[in-house]
Amino acid sequence: MKRSLTALVFALLGFLGIGLSAGVAGADPLTPAFAEICNGTSGCVTANISFSNRSATVVGNVFDDRNSGSTTAVFDFYTANGYYSTQTRTAANERRSFNFTEPGPVGGINLVRVWLVANATGAYTFVADVHKP
């Protein structure tokens, strides 16, 4: 009887679209947003971006090649209502790691647009649009 009750519960959960995780240890809350992308003039950026109920967490690094000026990664955060805020991370002749969370409003952040800036020229290079799953 226990076995059939257990099978019934799992069948019901499956029918309702509710799954059970096989284990927490294998779950990775960060989804790779993009591999290292370079602008060809000053540097590169790579990041993993994860979304929670309202916020977005960004973990990665920005690299500046040994040239004049520095390189800045720009993260523009958007909600369903449009633009919300911007965060930047800059490196000068180095690879600089970052890990930050942008708290969002009610409804939450659902898009992060990433740019790479060659500060010597001010040229912006589009890197990626990362959408909340």
Side-chain angles (χ1 to χ4, degrees), residues 109-128:
I109 294 169
N110 60 14
L111 167 67
V112 181
R113 180 164 288 155
V114 185
W115 302 87
L116 200 56
V117 182
N119 291 321
T121 64
Y124 275 65
T125 301
F126 174 77
V127 173

Side-chain angles (χ1 to χ4, degrees), residues 72-96:
T72 299
V74 177
F75 302 90
D76 291 329
F77 299 91
Y78 292 84
T79 67
N81 296 324
Y83 172 80
Y84 178 69
S85 64
T86 297
Q87 290 246 8
T88 62
R89 296 298 183 269
T90 301
N93 298 323
E94 64 185 332
R95 181 175 297 276
R96 177 165 288 185

Side-chain angles (χ1 to χ4, degrees), residues 47-66:
N48 290 330
I49 300 175
S50 63
F51 297 87
S52 68
N53 187 24
R54 293 185 180 187
S55 64
T57 299
V58 183
V59 179
N61 63 70
V62 61
F63 169 75
D64 180 60
D65 200 4
R66 297 191 185 278

